[in-house]
Amino acid sequence: MCKKQIFKVITFSVLLVALYVLLQDTNYLRYVNSYVGDNDEQDKELNQIFEVEPFKNVDKSSLNTTQNQNITLTKHTEESNGHSTLPKPSSISTNDTQNIELSKTFFKRVAFVKVHKAGSSTAQNIFLRYGESRNLTFVMSRVRDHQYDNVISLQSSLNNDNILPPPTNRTFDILCCHVLYNNEAFNKYMPNDTAYIGIVREPFDQFLSTLNYFRPTHILKNIIAENKVLKYLQYPTHYEHGLPYWWSMTNNRMAVEFGFPSNLFRQYSAEESMEYLRKLDKEFQFVIIMEYFTESVVMMRRLLGWTIKDVLYLRKNTARKSYQFVDNTNRYLYERFAKLDYDLYNFFYRRLWSQIQKEGLDFQFELLYFGRLREEVEDYCIFKAHHSKGYYVETSKWSTSFTVTQKDCEYLNMHEMSFVEKIRHRQYNYLE
């Protein structure tokens, strides 16, 4: 056997081993360790809701890629004035590129619950880009003093006082600005064929990010202690007392934005919390888990029936910060207080992995393909788009061919405030 053949065999073997290890990564089978996860009765109820025993039915031998699929490298080329090409990326597709798997369902309209400090700006860009590129109609806020254009309301749901009416002879297609969820209010303004999408983040991490961004005075100014946040975590109900729950950014804020009943913020009930979660389960087509954002986006694409190009994204507002407030050893204190947020997170965490498990091995291949493609597009938009006609992506099992243009890169990079202003001007021909 010549050296070239030996090199090819070794390279192909390494690729298969790397893929096998990736698919067996225990991160895909991780279980949330919290007081809810330790509740056997609640576990059984969740398993019945999702009609599956999460993380226990995965036959690891079924992930052996050599028995399931032939893998080839696809070429993505750059269309440029000089007909040059980018270096070949290591993206994964399948041999059968003509057998494109498209969703049987399709949702044109989306209502997105944009939760604060949960990676929602990155997700929002997907919906802004999708709607703007198709001239769809967005729900826009009435601009008021001391409030950002991308905020409809921080304390209430949709109503005639906080949103502009749709343009003449149009109906709303996309809702993706900050507003509290209320099913009745959303149904009043959004058509019946709207897909409801949400996003959640591990609650303690969301809490720390909130502290860093909003600098709440009832914690960082009013508390007199060497470690103000630790003092707050030891007696949270004391420091939240007198502050309306819908005003607070630190009292189960994700549950507030998902519209949990007000009585649960005064007196927690696991049974009533689960009852409301079952209601949300029926109302929401999908909820993104920030810690598994790429997995969530691939799953969402399948549920919405959108294309690969539709859900490409560049990470936004993700600079890693070193929080000096408290460390992860204090997480249990927040779990003890933020029971609604942990109920919400654990419920939809389970549902995500239940949905993914039902998709089978093909989901893992699409995930690998999409992750690598996303990185290529990000590099192209950052380093090459300004002097190129576009980045051409060949047909794959999950998408027809398409080109990422300079305008696509502009939209991918656009800040949400600029994007909202652009849409407002298009819809109403003015910046109110």
Side-chain angles (χ1 to χ4, degrees):
M1 186 181 291
C2 67
K3 291 184 178 179
K4 271 188 178 178
Q5 290 174 318
I6 294 174
F7 179 76
K8 287 181 178 178
V9 170
I10 293 173
T11 302
F12 186 71
S13 299
V14 170
L15 176 62
L16 288 177
V17 170
L19 182 58
Y20 182 82
V21 170
L22 174 66
L23 293 175
Q24 293 203 50
D25 192 333
T26 55
N27 279 333
Y28 291 104
L29 308 177
R30 183 167 69 90
Y31 182 74
V32 181
N33 294 315
S34 75
Y35 76 95
V36 172
D38 293 335
N39 187 321
D40 291 337
E41 291 304 315
Q42 201 160 24
D43 278 352
K44 291 177 182 177
E45 186 170 6
L46 287 170
N47 288 341
Q48 290 174 356
I49 291 173
F50 300 131
E51 298 178 345
V52 70
E53 291 188 11
F55 327 123
K56 294 182 181 179
N57 294 339
V58 178
D59 181 3
K60 292 186 178 182
S61 64
S62 70
L63 299 182
N64 187 337
T65 59
T66 60
Q67 298 175 3
N68 287 279
Q69 205 147 358
N70 293 323
I71 302 172
T72 60
L73 298 181
T74 57
K75 294 184 290 184
H76 298 179
T77 59
E78 176 191 16
E79 295 178 355
S80 64
N81 294 328
H83 303 290
S84 62
T85 61
L86 291 174
K88 293 179 183 179
S90 54
S91 297
I92 294 229
S93 184
T94 64
N95 282 328
D96 187 13
T97 56
Q98 300 304 313
N99 184 24
I100 300 170
E101 297 185 357
L102 300 177
S103 173
K104 296 178 182 178
T105 59
F106 172 74
F107 290 92
K108 168 187 171 184
R109 298 182 172 92
V110 167
F112 175 55
V113 177
K114 189 178 186 299
V115 173
H116 282 87
K117 312 315 297 174
S120 59
S121 292
T122 302
Q124 181 198 40
N125 180 266
I126 294 174
F127 305 122
L128 290 171
R129 202 174 70 250
Y130 182 87
E132 179 64 6
S133 65
R134 291 163 174 80
N135 195 35
L136 299 183
T137 303
F138 288 78
V139 180
M140 291 278 107
S141 68
R142 295 185 185 274
V143 178
R144 288 139 289 171
D145 293 338
H146 312 298
Q147 186 156 305
Y148 294 117
D149 281 3
N150 66 330
V151 175
I152 295 173
S153 178
L154 299 179
Q155 291 85 39
S156 64
S157 193
L158 301 175
N159 59 62
N160 291 340
D161 294 329
N162 60 28
I163 63 171
L164 295 168
T168 305
N169 297 324
R170 302 291 293 267
T171 57
F172 288 127
D173 299 307
I174 305 285
L175 166 63
C176 60
C177 290
H178 289 293
V179 69
L180 303 192
Y181 175 71
N182 176 279
N183 185 254
E184 184 177 345
F186 275 43
N187 287 341
K188 178 180 177 180
Y189 295 99
M190 301 301 297
N192 292 333
D193 59 351
T194 299
Y196 284 26
I197 307 291
I199 189 168
V200 292
R201 181 181 186 179
E202 198 288 322
F204 186 63
D205 292 337
Q206 193 268 346
F207 168 71
L208 293 180
S209 182
T210 295
L211 291 180
N212 188 71
Y213 183 82
F214 289 103
R215 316 297 295 186
T217 57
H218 69 285
I219 298 176
L220 299 182
K221 184 177 179 181
N222 296 348
I223 295 178
I224 307 300
E226 183 177 349
N227 189 325
K228 298 173 184 290
V229 178
L230 182 57
K231 187 74 171 178
Y232 168 84
L233 289 174
Q234 291 169 339
Y235 308 101
T237 54
H238 171 75
Y239 295 108
E240 292 286 346
H241 181 69
L243 187 65
Y245 76 90
W246 61 87
W247 278 95
S248 176
M249 301 301 291
T250 54
N251 182 0
N252 291 276
R253 185 63 197 185
M254 292 192 296
V256 171
E257 300 194 13
F258 269 87
F260 271 64
S262 58
N263 63 291
L264 291 177
F265 294 88
R266 295 188 295 270
Q267 183 64 47
Y268 173 76
S269 165
E271 183 179 348
E272 290 184 40
S273 175
M274 180 56 67
E275 183 180 346
Y276 186 71
L277 286 167
R278 285 194 292 265
K279 178 175 179 289
L280 292 179
D281 186 42
K282 295 175 182 177
E283 295 167 356
F284 279 76
Q285 272 70 25
F286 190 67
V287 174
I288 297 166
I289 305 296
M290 177 185 166
E291 287 76 13
Y292 297 92
F293 193 86
T294 302
E295 291 88 342
S296 295
V297 166
V298 172
M299 189 68 230
M300 182 179 74
R301 182 201 76 76
R302 291 182 168 215
L303 292 172
L304 295 180
W306 291 7
T307 69
I308 291 282
K309 184 177 181 181
D310 291 333
V311 298
L312 288 170
Y313 65 89
L314 308 186
R315 296 191 180 276
K316 298 182 180 297
N317 304 334
T318 56
R320 294 186 63 84
K321 299 181 185 297
S322 177
Y323 302 122
Q324 302 301 316
F325 310 121
V326 286
D327 58 41
N328 289 323
T329 62
N330 303 121
R331 188 183 302 269
Y332 76 98
L333 293 172
Y334 193 66
E335 277 191 45
R336 186 179 63 183
F337 168 60
K339 294 179 181 179
L340 295 177
D341 271 5
Y342 273 98
D343 283 356
L344 175 68
Y345 180 80
N346 290 344
F347 184 91
F348 284 109
Y349 180 99
R350 268 184 178 267
R351 191 172 84 158
L352 169 67
W353 293 109
S354 174
Q355 290 170 314
I356 288 175
Q357 185 175 326
K358 292 174 183 176
E359 292 296 297
L361 181 62
D362 184 68
F363 178 90
Q364 304 295 346
F365 280 102
E366 181 180 348
L367 177 65
L368 183 60
Y369 168 80
F370 179 79
R372 292 179 173 179
L373 174 61
R374 194 205 69 78
E375 290 176 350
E376 294 161 13
V377 170
E378 185 166 80
D379 285 351
Y380 170 75
C381 286
I382 293 173
F383 302 114
K384 296 179 178 290
H386 61 285
H387 57 73
S388 167
K389 286 184 177 179
Y391 186 53
Y392 177 74
V393 179
E394 291 184 348
T395 297
S396 72
K397 184 176 181 180
W398 307 281
S399 175
T400 57
S401 62
F402 62 89
T403 299
V404 178
T405 65
Q406 289 185 16
K407 174 164 276 191
D408 292 327
C409 290
E410 177 188 340
Y411 283 0
L412 282 161
N413 275 303
M414 190 173 291
H415 188 273
E416 64 183 280
M417 295 298 293
S418 300
F419 222 140
V420 169
E421 289 178 5
K422 176 182 177 61
I423 292 168
R424 183 188 300 278
H425 184 69
R426 170 178 65 80
Q427 284 188 190
Y428 301 103
N429 201 30
Y430 69 97
L431 302 176
E432 185 193 36

